Amino acid sequence: QQQSLAMQLLKLVLNCLNFDFIGNSADESADDLCTVQIPTNWRTIFLEPETLDLFFDLYHSLPPMLSQLALSCLVQFASARRSLFNNPERATYLGNLIKGVKQILENPQGLSDPGNYHEFCRFLARLKTNYQLGELVVVKDYPEVIQLIANFTITSLQHWEFAPNSVHYLLTLWQRMVASVPFVKSAEPHLLDTYAPEITKAYITSRLECVPVVIRDGLEDPLDDAATVFQQLEQLCTVSRCEYEKTCTLLVQLFDQNAQNYQKLLHASSRNPLEITVQEGRLAWLVYFVGTFVGGRLTYTSTDEHDAMDGELSCRVFQLITLMDAQLPESSNEKVELAILWFLDQFRKTYVGDQLQHTSKVYTRMSEVLGITDDNHVLETFMTKIVTNLKYRGRCEPVISRTLQFLNDLSVGYPFSCIWHNVMLGISKVKTLMFHQSKHFPFLGVSDNYSLSDLRCRTMFYTALTRLLMVDLGEDEDEFENFMLPLTITFESVTQILNSSFEQEAAKRMLIGLARDLRGIAFALNTKTSYTMLFDWIYPAYMSVLQRAIELWYQEPACTTPILKLMAEFMQNRSQRLNFDVSSPNGILLFREASKMICTYGNQILSLGTLSKDQVYPLKLKGISICYSALKSALCGNYVSFGVFKLYGDNHFDNVLQAFVKMLLSVSHSDLLQYRKLSQSYYPLLECLTQDHMSFITSLEPHTLIYIFTSISEGLTAVDTVVSSSCCTSLDYIVTYLFKHLAKEGKKTLRCREISQDGQRLLHFMQQNPEVLQQMMSILMNTIIFEDCRNQWSVSRPLLGLILLNEKYFSELRATLITSQPESKREVLDQCFRNLMEGVEQNLLVKNRDR
């Protein structure tokens, strides 16, 4: 009973300390907000040393399940806001916390429990989060405590399999302490130059030692959790820069030793696959460490000596690249390749480009060992590695994907694009790259040996390739035709196959590849001239092939999704690239093709009937969301005058709007909000329609209008602010349209005798269904008054129109809301409502809205 009482009391204290006193925490589960805003009237309790002593004593005397709660409370005590104390009081309070830490580390038996261990690690991290290093070093027991913490950290790192999620907090502590060293003004020694290298060494050696255990015992490899590894490496990066000479010396020694062992194993008369795998695992970790330390270079703290050390480390990785590539195509290790790509990217960010003088000492050592004298030579090495990976590692999706991401990053940044023409064009490997055929790069193939998902990498490949083409393309149409030649040949082959009705499966795979390739190309063409070249290439010759594919394989998302995404990309007027010449009909022609495709897909997909829950998204809703995105891009792209269609009797615009409605009515309201991609394409599209095409909205059948208004009503309370903001904007356009129609009807001037039939239809619908707007007004008022409204400006936009259209209901809602409050708050709320409507006039002018 006493333990039960102690547990409930500790939980009560913890809940009080966890309370968000000033309402600034959006996510209570996050560990980022490390300051507890303790109320000032609790100050006396925090100043009493007995308070902290009580909780430290509880930790030492209670069983693990309860002592963990005591530590959780101490984490919050360590996070008390600094302004709660004056300087002497803060120093005393910190001294008591440090004294408690010392007691725990001198009697570490309780830390064998994972819960206690985790909370203690959090407690240590909070010490540096809320206190400055200058305050810590002047504490009486600082030298003993920092040594105890360092030993605890080293032991924790060596036992890597025990509570791995807690290591983050220990590294956070050391990262923040080392980062604070340049700003410490105290004369007291911080001792970090003694202990930080030991922490770095412990982390490095422990990760190398875990490799054989993981492989032989079949344990989960820490390297497979990339997010955690990169997070820890980022923290270690800061720690390693303290006494960087020691870190580099250690890493050079370990790298040389492991590389020599690896070479011996490769050249041994009888190979031991297990030992080779272990050695490759260690080399992967070492390459990650080198990449991390090179990427951690800070301009304001680095010296020529540090850059020279980076050169020593980098030489070894570049030599390892040569060694690994020499074994191709017989053998390849995915983890080592991913680590090498990480290193190359870190080296690129740090030592390639105009952010660093080309005379950097990093190139001095690399010049002596490898003949790499500057970043131009490094870029050649990058390209050689990229081509090698694409050529020999086509079946390893993670390596291909990371390689293409690296190529893509290179194609975007300086100086790769600037020196492409002068330095890279002459390299035979790049000529191979530019020819982009599957015989050179297997991942571009479409044989049955590859799954359709393997083709996804192609989009990124062609985006990067096209950016490189754009460097020197200008208006050279012949150069563009040469670049597109492989795709032209493939399209012609597909056309022949479709016309002959043979080998449909081969044609489908080729089309999937083509759609992904073209989407990558279209994404990179952001100028009017280059985009026009692509449009002239594909229209009208090959657009019909894509339309035919949608008709044939509408039931196969693996085929329809890439084609629909390609069309959606074509419709994007990015950087005004679709603003064709005034004499050109290309904008209208492009929209007509998109209309045909959306209508074809919509009609075909609806013929599938009712689908099971697990099939409805991949077979139907995903395609519908892409169609909606494409249509939204067309409506908002400002490159088509939609009035032209009705003027000349062209029904493509009407057809696509009807297809939009048919597809919409086949989707349940719950699915609209449940599937994020669908909701984020439907609601912005509806916003475009209500802004510029209200005549279409008013022409809809009552049941369709009810569906649309219900979707808006449910979207107003959506968690996703993109959805709720679009709903508010759509509602604002609708009520503004209604209000203007009523205003015109009331004037009855000679010029306005013919009342808009569109407005009359919508007005009649609202008179028949007054609850539609009333419900939405109620939702908005409740959201503003009672909820944490994250997009208040958007919510406020339709409010005035709703009030002016429903003044009677607004008065009733106001009275209901006021009477629902406690007596003490009614007067305050009533005053708020009076302030809201003070000076408001009967119009929707901007000045009136903003009152």
Side-chain angles (χ1 to χ4, degrees):
Q1 287 183 346
Q2 286 184 339
Q3 284 194 7
S4 177
L5 177 61
M7 176 183 285
Q8 298 305 322
L9 287 170
L10 285 168
K11 284 183 176 178
L12 177 61
V13 173
L14 184 59
N15 287 336
C16 291
L17 293 171
N18 277 331
F19 186 74
D20 185 11
F21 291 98
I22 60 174
N24 65 345
S25 176
D27 182 7
E28 294 180 0
S29 65
D31 207 39
D32 303 321
L33 299 170
C34 301
T35 302
V36 182
Q37 301 293 335
I38 300 296
T40 305
N41 54 4
W42 292 12
R43 185 170 176 274
T44 52
I45 301 173
F46 278 72
L47 288 176
E48 294 171 3
E50 293 80 12
T51 304
L52 286 178
D53 291 344
L54 170 64
F55 283 90
F56 281 115
D57 291 342
L58 286 171
Y59 162 75
H60 288 291
S61 57
L62 291 173
M65 188 170 63
L66 300 180
S67 59
Q68 179 181 335
L69 286 171
L71 274 178
S72 297
C73 293
L74 285 166
V75 170
Q76 298 304 96
F77 276 110
S79 308
R81 62 185 172 92
R82 292 174 58 81
S83 55
L84 190 66
F85 314 104
N86 59 34
N87 288 341
E89 291 169 347
R90 193 181 306 114
T92 304
Y93 188 75
L94 177 58
N96 291 330
L97 287 171
I98 295 295
K99 183 180 73 174
V101 170
K102 184 181 177 185
Q103 290 172 354
I104 292 174
L105 289 173
E106 286 175 341
N107 301 279
Q109 297 85 357
L111 297 177
S112 59
D113 176 72
N116 282 345
Y117 173 82
H118 183 75
E119 290 303 315
F120 183 65
C121 291
R122 289 182 64 225
F123 178 50
L124 291 177
R126 291 291 177 94
L127 285 176
K128 179 58 192 77
T129 303
N130 291 283
Y131 296 93
Q132 298 169 3
L133 182 58
E135 293 172 321
L136 287 166
V137 298
V138 296
V139 173
K140 177 186 174 186
D141 295 325
Y142 175 78
E144 294 88 350
V145 171
I146 196 67
Q147 182 179 9
L148 288 168
I149 293 174
N151 293 336
F152 172 71
T153 305
I154 291 168
T155 305
S156 299
L157 292 173
Q158 288 169 344
H159 295 84
W160 54 271
E161 72 284 359
F162 180 78
N165 293 332
S166 306
V167 171
H168 161 76
Y169 297 103
L170 293 175
L171 291 177
T172 297
L173 168 69
W174 289 99
Q175 177 194 22
R176 289 178 172 168
M177 290 181 74
V178 171
S180 303
V181 168
F183 310 105
V184 175
K185 297 177 181 177
S186 171
E188 299 293 329
H190 53 69
L191 304 176
L192 293 178
D193 47 359
T194 303
Y195 298 116
E198 294 183 17
I199 303 301
T200 305
K201 180 180 179 180
Y203 188 91
I204 292 172
T205 53
S206 66
R207 286 338 180 236
L208 297 183
E209 288 165 4
C210 84
V211 174
V213 181
V214 166
I215 292 173
R216 286 169 186 149
D217 298 347
L219 302 178
E220 186 176 345
D221 191 343
L223 277 178
D224 291 337
D225 185 2
T228 301
V229 169
F230 291 150
Q231 183 186 53
Q232 292 181 0
L233 288 177
E234 183 182 351
Q235 295 171 313
L236 186 71
C237 163
T238 306
V239 182
S240 70
R241 285 276 164 177
C242 184
E243 297 295 310
Y244 193 49
E245 298 83 356
K246 294 180 182 178
T247 301
C248 289
T249 303
L250 170 69
L251 210 50
V252 165
Q253 178 187 341
L254 290 171
F255 208 112
D256 289 346
Q257 177 186 332
N258 283 276
Q260 287 169 10
N261 291 341
Y262 183 55
Q263 284 181 302
K264 288 178 184 176
L265 289 169
L266 290 179
H267 296 127
S269 54
S270 58
R271 286 196 173 194
N272 185 333
L274 183 65
E275 284 300 320
I276 289 177
T277 305
V278 168
Q279 211 58 47
E280 287 174 340
R282 286 176 172 154
L283 286 170
W285 273 111
L286 288 167
V287 173
Y288 274 121
F289 291 137
V290 174
T292 301
F293 300 156
V294 168
R297 180 186 189 275
L298 296 174
T299 307
Y300 61 88
T301 58
S302 288
T303 61
D304 285 348
E305 290 74 18
H306 286 181
D307 289 356
M309 292 174 203
D310 285 348
E312 284 284 354
L313 294 172
S314 300
C315 280
R316 285 157 174 77
V317 180
F318 282 115
Q319 288 172 323
L320 179 64
I321 292 172
T322 305
L323 177 63
M324 297 300 295
D325 289 350
Q327 301 176 57
L328 293 170
E330 285 77 19
S331 65
S332 175
N333 184 286
E334 178 184 318
K335 288 185 171 64
V336 176
E337 292 304 326
L338 292 175
I340 286 171
L341 288 166
W342 159 262
F343 161 77
L344 294 178
D345 196 44
Q346 296 303 306
F347 190 91
R348 173 188 69 85
K349 292 174 182 175
T350 307
Y351 287 111
V352 177
D354 62 345
Q355 71 269 32
L356 195 69
Q357 292 295 323
H358 293 182
T359 55
S360 170
K361 292 290 184 183
V362 76
Y363 290 110
T364 305
R365 182 61 179 156
M366 289 172 64
S367 174
E368 295 170 3
V369 179
L370 305 171
I372 297 176
T373 56
D374 57 21
D375 51 2
N376 289 357
H377 286 155
V378 170
L379 287 171
E380 291 182 24
T381 309
F382 287 173
M383 283 308 303
T384 305
K385 181 60 181 170
I386 288 168
V387 173
T388 303
N389 281 3
L390 297 181
K391 189 172 182 179
Y392 293 108
R393 298 185 173 92
R395 298 311 304 270
C396 184
E397 196 277 335
V399 172
I400 287 293
S401 180
R402 191 77 66 82
T403 302
L404 290 173
Q405 184 60 58
F406 181 52
L407 175 62
N408 195 47
D409 293 342
L410 281 173
S411 70
V412 172
Y414 176 91
F416 193 73
S417 59
C418 298
I419 65 172
W420 168 262
H421 182 71
N422 298 324
V423 179
M424 296 299 181
L425 207 55
I427 303 175
S428 59
K429 298 168 183 63
V430 175
K431 290 181 179 177
T432 302
L433 190 67
M434 293 298 290
F435 196 55
H436 48 93
Q437 286 190 358
S438 59
K439 67 181 180 182
H440 299 294
F441 305 127
F443 78 97
L444 294 178
V446 292
S447 67
D448 293 339
N449 296 330
Y450 288 81
S451 70
L452 294 177
S453 62
D454 288 339
L455 305 179
R456 291 176 182 169
C457 295
R458 300 170 64 135
T459 303
M460 195 184 301
F461 175 71
Y462 272 91
T463 297
L465 218 55
T466 307
R467 286 202 185 106
L468 302 179
L469 170 76
M470 289 288 293
V471 172
D472 208 33
L473 177 64
E475 299 179 1
D476 191 341
E477 294 183 10
D478 292 336
E479 179 70 18
F480 184 79
E481 287 290 336
N482 289 334
F483 177 77
M484 299 297 288
L485 186 59
L487 282 75
T488 306
I489 294 169
T490 308
F491 249 127
E492 293 296 339
S493 301
V494 171
T495 306
Q496 289 177 8
I497 294 172
L498 289 178
N499 290 338
S500 64
S501 300
F502 292 116
E503 300 181 19
Q504 297 281 316
E505 188 64 28
K508 180 172 67 178
R509 297 180 74 88
M510 292 166 74
L511 260 177
I512 293 169
L514 278 170
R516 293 191 185 281
D517 299 347
L518 285 170
R519 181 166 155 240
I521 292 171
F523 183 80
L525 297 178
N526 287 330
T527 65
K528 176 180 168 182
T529 304
S530 60
Y531 181 88
T532 303
M533 289 183 193
L534 178 62
F535 182 82
D536 291 341
W537 179 85
I538 199 170
Y539 182 88
Y542 303 130
M543 200 65 86
S544 58
V545 179
L546 300 176
Q547 301 282 7
R548 176 79 174 132
I550 292 291
E551 290 175 20
L552 285 175
W553 297 302
Y554 65 92
Q555 296 187 64
E556 301 184 44
C559 181
T560 56
T561 297
I563 295 174
L564 291 172
K565 282 186 174 180
L566 170 61
M567 183 56 74
E569 178 57 41
F570 268 127
M571 307 304 288
Q572 288 270 6
N573 192 14
R574 197 181 302 110
S575 303
Q576 303 300 305
R577 64 181 184 175
L578 269 70
N579 287 3
F580 299 105
D581 296 334
V582 291
S583 60
S584 170
N586 286 353
I588 291 172
L589 295 175
L590 177 60
F591 181 80
R592 282 162 58 99
E593 292 300 324
S595 171
K596 288 179 196 173
M597 187 174 289
I598 293 171
C599 291
T600 301
Y601 179 79
N603 291 329
Q604 297 280 51
I605 210 71
L606 295 180
S607 68
L608 294 177
T610 306
L611 298 169
S612 62
K613 189 70 176 173
D614 60 327
Q615 287 185 313
V616 69
Y617 182 74
L619 286 183
K620 176 181 170 183
L621 299 183
K622 186 173 184 179
I624 289 176
S625 70
I626 300 169
C627 289
Y628 283 1
S629 294
L631 184 54
K632 185 256 180 186
S633 297
L635 294 179
C636 300
N638 202 29
Y639 56 88
V640 181
S641 177
F642 293 101
V644 169
F645 291 95
K646 186 175 181 180
L647 186 64
Y648 290 99
D650 189 322
N651 60 2
H652 282 88
F653 183 49
D654 289 336
N655 289 347
V656 78
L657 293 180
Q658 291 307 316
F660 155 74
V661 172
K662 288 178 185 176
M663 288 189 283
L664 179 62
L665 294 178
S666 72
V667 180
S668 67
H669 282 114
S670 59
D671 285 346
L672 266 183
L673 288 169
Q674 181 180 350
Y675 295 100
R676 187 166 177 263
K677 287 185 178 179
L678 180 59
S679 59
Q680 289 198 338
S681 59
Y682 163 67
Y683 284 104
L685 171 58
L686 183 61
E687 183 182 334
C688 288
L689 289 169
T690 52
Q691 180 179 9
D692 298 319
H693 304 281
M694 274 303 298
S695 58
F696 162 70
I697 298 291
T698 58
S699 69
L700 296 172
E701 295 293 325
H703 72 279
T704 306
L705 282 173
I706 288 288
Y707 182 98
I708 289 175
F709 279 114
T710 304
S711 71
I712 293 175
S713 179
E714 293 182 355
L716 288 173
T717 55
V719 176
D720 190 337
T721 52
V722 172
V723 171
S724 57
S725 297
S726 286
C727 287
C728 292
T729 307
S730 299
L731 181 58
D732 183 33
Y733 288 136
I734 292 169
V735 295
T736 302
Y737 179 87
L738 262 176
F739 187 84
K740 287 181 178 178
H741 171 75
L742 282 171
K744 287 180 182 178
E745 190 181 45
K747 290 179 183 176
K748 295 285 184 183
T749 61
L750 287 173
R751 294 182 61 190
C752 297
R753 278 181 296 192
E754 291 187 14
I755 301 299
S756 162
Q757 292 300 310
D758 296 337
Q760 282 294 93
R761 278 195 299 270
L762 186 59
L763 181 60
H764 179 70
F765 171 81
M766 289 302 179
Q767 289 169 345
Q768 295 292 318
N769 303 275
E771 72 283 353
V772 171
L773 293 182
Q774 292 172 3
Q775 181 188 11
M776 286 192 268
M777 187 200 297
S778 176
I779 290 171
L780 290 178
M781 292 303 300
N782 278 281
T783 299
I784 291 170
I785 296 173
F786 300 117
E787 294 182 21
D788 181 15
C789 187
R790 288 167 295 164
N791 51 342
Q792 201 154 1
W793 189 88
S794 297
V795 170
S796 70
R797 293 298 89 188
L799 202 55
L800 179 59
L802 287 169
I803 292 172
L804 296 181
L805 287 172
N806 297 273
E807 292 188 74
K808 182 181 177 184
Y809 178 75
F810 175 67
S811 300
E812 295 170 0
L813 178 63
R814 170 180 171 172
T816 303
L817 289 170
I818 291 172
T819 54
S820 69
Q821 296 300 298
E823 191 74 39
S824 58
K825 294 183 178 180
R826 289 179 185 175
E827 180 59 35
V828 176
L829 187 57
D830 185 46
Q831 185 60 46
C832 290
F833 273 111
R834 287 199 296 271
N835 293 342
L836 177 69
M837 300 308 294
E838 185 178 350
V840 172
E841 301 170 2
Q842 291 285 321
N843 63 64
L844 292 180
L845 299 177
V846 174
K847 182 180 178 181
N848 197 37
R849 285 174 183 266
D850 292 340
R851 284 187 187 280

